[in-house]
Amino acid sequence: MRKHKVLYLLMLPGILYYVIFKYVPMYGIIIAFQNFSIGRGITGSKFVGFKHFVDFFYNTPDAWKLIRNTILLNVYDLLFRFPVPILLALLFHEIRNRAFKGFVQSVSYMPHFLSTVVIAGIMVTFLSQQTGIINHMLGWFGIEPILFLGLPEWFRTIYVGSEIWQTAGWGTILYLAAIAGVDPTLYEAAKIDGANRFQQMRHVTLVGMYPVMIVLFVLTLGHFMETGFQKIILLYNPMTYETADVLNTFVYRRGILSADFSFATAVGLFQAAIGFLLVVTANRIVRKYSESSLW
Amino acid sequence: MKIKSSLGSKVFDVLNTVFMLLLVVIMVYPLVYVFSASISDNAMVVSGQVVLWPKSINLEAYNRLVVNPDIWISYWNTIRYTVVQTFFSLLVTGCMAYPLAKSWLPGRKWILLMAAFTLLFSGGMIPTFLVVQHLGLLNSIWAIVLPSLVSTWYLFIMRTFFAALPAELEDAATIDGCGSLQVFLRIVLPLSVPVLVSIGLFTAVNQWNSFFDALIYLNDRSLYPLQIVIRNIIISSSNVQGEGNTSYIETLKYAMIMIATVPILCVYPFVQKYFVQGAMIGGIKG
């Protein structure tokens, strides 16, 4: 028994971390139902029920815009970014020269190591209307300079594009690991059955990646409501709020910048609840139809 | 059969190689351009004459940055935050993961569930901010280090690694009279260097690159990490361009990106292997 005591003691700092920085904030969600003031604290503040939620849905003109932007940005992300590492892994796998393969892979991982601030900085400088290289290049074809970061219709493209650039290569790692685990006799069998390279790619390699695809898909859905808002904070501005402002950035402005704690917590709770429901539902569906799932 | 399938196959190989070369260009070009622009003459950059190679080399931007005390203070802060967080993160995560790897430990399941649940649901930005504020951590290194100290993914990775170590070694040490702590320190940790290196590197790069915690928890300029300073120079200055001498302002932004990126690019070739290994241990059933 004394042996156990040491083990529990070892875990203590970690458990305290979870309690203080994860579970106390969950308890703090109560303030979404209060008119919280720092002076009175959670125990002293007055309960107002669902007032802040009603305020958000009925009295915030931007509410639907925020929900729409959050969903659209994530749908585009899923639609355009999710398949890229899969395709890339298929193509990497088909490179025959080992050295060249290693080189291409290494280079493709690199953007993953740049910070969000640096990526946003690159986007801002490259897309600048007067001085950016992109507009200079467009000028060669006689296209007038475009104020990319000031036009709402460009925001989603810029955001998803930079995400693809940053994550495509790194995302192939797990798929390549899955491909490496494919039984080589399956390729032999496919060849004997007369499958050409594309048929092997389609029916052996791709099928070998399914389990990883499913797990990553559920994970992506798990973060569905919160994707990349740190980058959005760096890239958006009032001119592009129309398409760029999402629930998280709104929570940041109302909560941190305007100290409107209860209201911002209510909006954040709404978002977290949807995210939670999505991942639980997705996992349930996936578990029903396939063997791999998150839990 | 070889000859039959070779035409389509060869065409594919050629197209694939071309595509891969294109990919390399897309991945590398932005950084080459940033480098060239950072050492070129400002007027050349502004007028779009720099496309690939530097034109009329001018190191004014770097001179301006080197004498800027904010840069050095923020560099030092970033190093400080990264080292302190990586150390404590490994310590706390390792100490928690080891007992959790013991399948006979009572209560283990509940602690694992408690940790796993935080992956699905969290109190959110504002309640977490209020906790940090209530603890009096605002404007201190601990506001950066503590709230992100333990990552549940890394905890699970370490636990899986510890669980896979041969139990016989630990049993032998116990019979020789080692207590749990000694077994952990003398037997388990030396065998766990690969997982500690991978996770330490992940934590360090994350902290090196992070800006958001600093944005919400720090107001004091002397505590700003590098990423916040870069943000202020590149992203905010695009709105308030009027200040001071503008004859180097564009190149300054590119130089700033270089200064923030070079350390990562220098270690990247050496640590890439560990990262890939780490990503794979982490990916196979979190």
Side-chain angles (χ1 to χ4, degrees):
Chain A
M1 269 298 121
R2 278 191 60 188
K3 207 168 66 183
H4 286 3
K5 215 186 253 169
V6 174
L7 290 178
Y8 289 121
L9 230 83
L10 276 177
M11 284 196 285
L12 195 64
I15 293 175
L16 278 177
Y17 165 80
Y18 275 96
V19 171
I20 295 174
F21 291 103
K22 298 287 177 183
Y23 281 87
V24 173
M26 285 189 209
Y27 165 73
I29 284 172
I30 292 180
I31 70 172
F33 305 95
Q34 295 179 328
N35 272 338
F36 177 75
S37 82
I38 295 244
R40 292 203 200 110
I42 289 184
T43 40
S45 293
K46 208 180 136 212
F47 271 89
V48 292
F50 285 87
K51 174 175 173 289
H52 299 296
F53 294 88
V54 175
D55 255 8
F56 177 63
F57 288 111
Y58 292 98
N59 304 329
T60 310
D62 290 342
W64 294 109
K65 183 185 84 186
L66 292 165
I67 294 170
R68 186 197 66 201
N69 286 346
T70 307
I71 291 173
L72 275 182
L73 212 52
N74 280 285
V75 167
Y76 287 139
D77 190 64
L78 210 58
L79 227 58
F80 295 107
R81 188 166 66 98
F82 190 76
V84 175
I86 299 171
L87 288 173
L88 217 50
L90 278 175
L91 293 178
F92 281 168
H93 181 64
E94 297 296 328
I95 302 176
R96 297 188 176 184
N97 183 325
R98 283 184 71 91
F100 182 59
K101 184 177 168 186
F103 169 72
V104 177
Q105 279 179 252
S106 295
V107 169
S108 76
Y109 299 158
M110 192 189 59
H112 172 80
F113 292 90
L114 305 183
S115 72
T116 316
V117 174
V118 162
I119 306 262
I122 291 178
M123 299 312 278
V124 169
T125 46
F126 278 39
L127 294 171
S128 158
Q129 191 178 20
Q130 281 98 36
T131 61
I133 183 71
I134 303 283
N135 271 318
H136 286 305
M137 285 179 171
L138 290 178
W140 301 345
F141 304 98
I143 299 170
E144 288 293 304
I146 301 168
L147 180 62
F148 285 105
L149 287 162
L151 296 173
E153 60 265 39
W154 278 100
F155 186 83
R156 292 183 185 122
T157 313
I158 291 167
Y159 172 81
V160 176
S162 70
E163 281 288 295
I164 291 176
W165 184 72
Q166 190 179 6
T167 60
W170 188 253
T172 60
I173 289 177
L174 293 181
Y175 292 114
L176 287 170
I179 293 176
V182 171
D183 185 352
T185 58
L186 289 177
Y187 287 104
E188 296 302 321
K191 268 183 215 159
I192 289 165
D193 289 343
N196 64 27
R197 263 175 90 183
F198 299 101
Q199 285 163 331
Q200 288 174 39
M201 224 194 283
R202 164 78 188 78
H203 296 287
V204 183
T205 317
L206 191 64
V207 172
M209 292 197 280
Y210 279 163
V212 177
M213 265 151 86
I214 287 166
V215 169
L216 289 183
F217 188 77
V218 177
L219 274 179
T220 312
L221 278 185
H223 296 286
F224 189 79
M225 296 300 276
E226 50 190 288
T227 300
F229 84 103
Q230 299 199 1
K231 195 190 251 168
I232 300 177
I233 283 189
L234 295 169
L235 286 175
Y236 81 161
N237 57 57
M239 284 188 285
T240 50
Y241 279 179
E242 186 55 36
T243 54
D245 202 11
V246 294
L247 289 164
N248 251 326
T249 48
F250 181 74
V251 170
Y252 166 70
R253 287 203 309 278
R254 289 299 290 265
I256 306 287
L257 300 182
S258 315
D260 201 348
F261 296 125
S262 283
F263 183 71
T265 304
V267 177
L269 176 60
F270 164 69
Q271 168 173 334
I274 294 190
F276 180 74
L277 277 179
L278 266 172
V279 69
V280 172
T281 315
N283 194 64
R284 184 161 292 174
I285 294 172
V286 159
R287 198 159 51 170
K288 206 167 176 182
Y289 295 104
S290 84
E291 281 162 21
S292 31
S293 71
L294 222 48
W295 65 82
Chain B
M1 199 169 93
K2 238 184 192 169
I3 303 157
K4 239 183 168 180
S5 65
S6 71
L7 182 65
S9 180
K10 261 184 190 156
V11 171
F12 173 76
D13 279 333
V14 170
L15 286 179
N16 199 17
T17 308
V18 170
F19 178 77
M20 287 302 152
L21 291 174
L22 198 69
L23 184 81
V24 169
V25 170
I26 292 172
M27 292 297 167
V28 173
Y29 175 73
L31 287 179
V32 173
Y33 178 81
V34 168
F35 173 69
S36 297
S38 75
I39 60 168
S40 293
D41 183 66
N42 195 61
M44 292 284 187
V45 176
V46 170
S47 61
Q49 306 214 39
V50 176
V51 176
L52 182 63
W53 303 119
K55 292 237 169 89
S56 13
I57 290 181
N58 181 341
L59 297 176
E60 178 64 13
Y62 286 97
N63 289 335
R64 297 271 174 177
L65 287 178
V66 168
V67 297
N68 183 340
D70 276 0
I71 304 289
W72 296 110
I73 294 171
S74 68
Y75 237 111
W76 168 239
N77 283 335
T78 294
I79 294 171
R80 226 157 41 105
Y81 300 160
T82 303
V83 170
V84 173
Q85 194 193 32
T86 307
F87 173 77
F88 281 108
S89 177
L90 282 179
L91 185 75
V92 173
T93 310
C95 287
M96 190 172 177
Y98 176 65
L100 288 176
K102 302 272 161 262
S103 53
W104 40 260
L105 191 75
R108 181 189 78 119
K109 244 187 153 172
W110 289 105
I111 298 171
L112 277 173
L113 263 179
M114 175 193 81
F117 183 68
T118 62
L119 288 174
L120 297 178
F121 191 77
S122 81
M125 192 194 309
I126 307 304
T128 310
F129 173 83
L130 290 174
V131 167
V132 174
Q133 187 186 49
H134 194 77
L135 293 172
L137 301 178
L138 292 187
N139 276 323
S140 78
I141 176 176
W142 303 110
I144 304 300
V145 168
L146 291 181
S148 55
L149 193 65
V150 180
S151 149
T152 306
W153 288 119
Y154 300 161
L155 178 73
F156 284 7
I157 292 170
M158 277 211 207
R159 186 190 75 97
T160 312
F161 189 92
F162 289 148
L165 291 176
E168 292 81 3
L169 274 177
E170 295 183 45
D171 293 343
T174 313
I175 291 165
D176 289 348
C178 278
S180 317
L181 194 62
Q182 277 176 312
V183 172
F184 179 53
L185 292 177
R186 293 193 185 170
I187 311 288
V188 175
L189 282 187
L191 289 171
S192 308
V193 173
V195 79
L196 292 176
V197 169
S198 296
I199 289 181
L201 282 171
F202 271 115
T203 312
V205 169
N206 274 343
Q207 184 55 49
W208 184 277
N209 283 342
S210 76
F211 81 100
F212 191 69
D213 284 356
L215 187 67
I216 60 179
Y217 297 135
L218 303 178
N219 289 318
D220 186 347
R221 284 179 79 90
S222 67
L223 288 171
Y224 282 169
L226 187 63
Q227 303 293 335
I228 294 283
V229 174
I230 311 172
R231 169 185 176 270
N232 293 347
I233 290 181
I234 300 175
I235 294 168
S236 308
S237 84
S238 54
N239 303 325
V240 278
Q241 233 179 35
E243 51 161 272
N245 184 356
T246 54
S247 69
Y248 59 90
I249 194 134
E250 283 306 314
T251 49
L252 186 85
K253 292 179 187 174
Y254 292 106
M256 197 66 233
I257 296 177
M258 283 317 291
I259 283 185
T261 309
V262 162
I264 295 277
L265 289 187
C266 286
V267 296
Y268 171 63
F270 304 104
V271 300
Q272 193 218 129
K273 194 180 70 188
Y274 295 105
F275 275 101
V276 173
Q277 281 168 1
M280 287 199 310
I281 326 176
I284 295 156
K285 275 280 163 182

